[in-house]
Amino acid sequence: MAMQVKNETRTGLTAEIKIVPAWAWTLAVVGFAIAQLFFNVVMARHQHAPPAWCRALMGLAAGTVLGCYLLLVGYVNRDARRRGMSSILWTLVAIFIPHGLGLILYFILRQPERSACPQCGNAVQTGFNFCPGCNYKLGPSCPQCQRVVGVNDVYCPYCGTSLRNQAAP
Ligand SMILES: [Zn+2]
Ligand SMILES: [Zn+2]
């Protein structure tokens, strides 16, 4: 957490953690606190309670698991929306399918990430060359035949026009 994050790791774990909403962080902290309360206070009153050091360790472990789970639920809530999936449905799946299976299901079934069209703001699937909403050119295309070409193509694979002077947008 203390490490300085560079720009090239923006799509990495740190960027993913940033989309976890504030309410999920709050719930995670509350959940962690409740686990401490349960193992160190409530359980201590029990006649056959384990020793204090054992209860403290159990509380930390349970609190960490619970906190991470709540953060992941928050992540699913935001990530689903970003990918054009039902945010409410997947949040409920993550919460109510037990043993973290809802979370696993989400990461298996989630749609490819989408980005916003710079012209109309429409959510566009990564890899598209034109925005389906406003026909904005998101990737390079041939100036002669207007077909979509690869970023590193030197000649158009359809009509042979040189693309050397084409600057990528
Ligand atoms: Zn658009
Ligand atoms: Zn062409």
Side-chain angles (χ1 to χ4, degrees), residues 33-116:
I34 287 173
Q36 307 318 304
L37 201 70
F38 177 78
F39 282 97
N40 295 300
V41 180
V42 178
M43 203 186 251
R45 288 177 189 158
H46 197 273
Q47 209 178 349
H48 302 291
W53 65 268
C54 187
R55 279 187 281 108
L57 278 181
M58 284 160 77
L60 287 176
T64 305
V65 170
L66 183 64
C68 287
Y69 179 71
L70 290 166
L71 289 180
L72 273 167
V73 168
Y75 175 80
V76 165
N77 179 272
R78 286 296 157 92
D79 190 57
R81 195 178 304 164
R82 190 171 64 166
R83 289 164 196 265
M85 299 161 74
S86 170
S87 170
I88 295 168
L89 174 77
W90 281 104
T91 306
L92 292 176
V93 165
I95 292 169
F96 290 109
I97 297 185
H99 308 301
L101 283 175
L103 289 170
I104 293 167
L105 206 64
Y106 174 75
F107 286 105
I108 292 170
L109 296 175
R110 68 179 181 177
Q111 301 284 318
E113 197 171 328
R114 291 166 171 219
S115 48

Side-chain angles (χ1 to χ4, degrees), residues 142 144-147 149 156 158-161:
C142 171
Q144 186 64 37
C145 69
Q146 307 301 323
R147 285 198 240 203
V149 293
C156 171
Y158 303 101
C159 69
T161 302

Side-chain angles (χ1 to χ4, degrees), residues 117 119-122 124 131-136:
C117 165
Q119 187 162 280
C120 69
N122 197 10
V124 184
C131 169
C134 70
N135 202 29
Y136 181 81

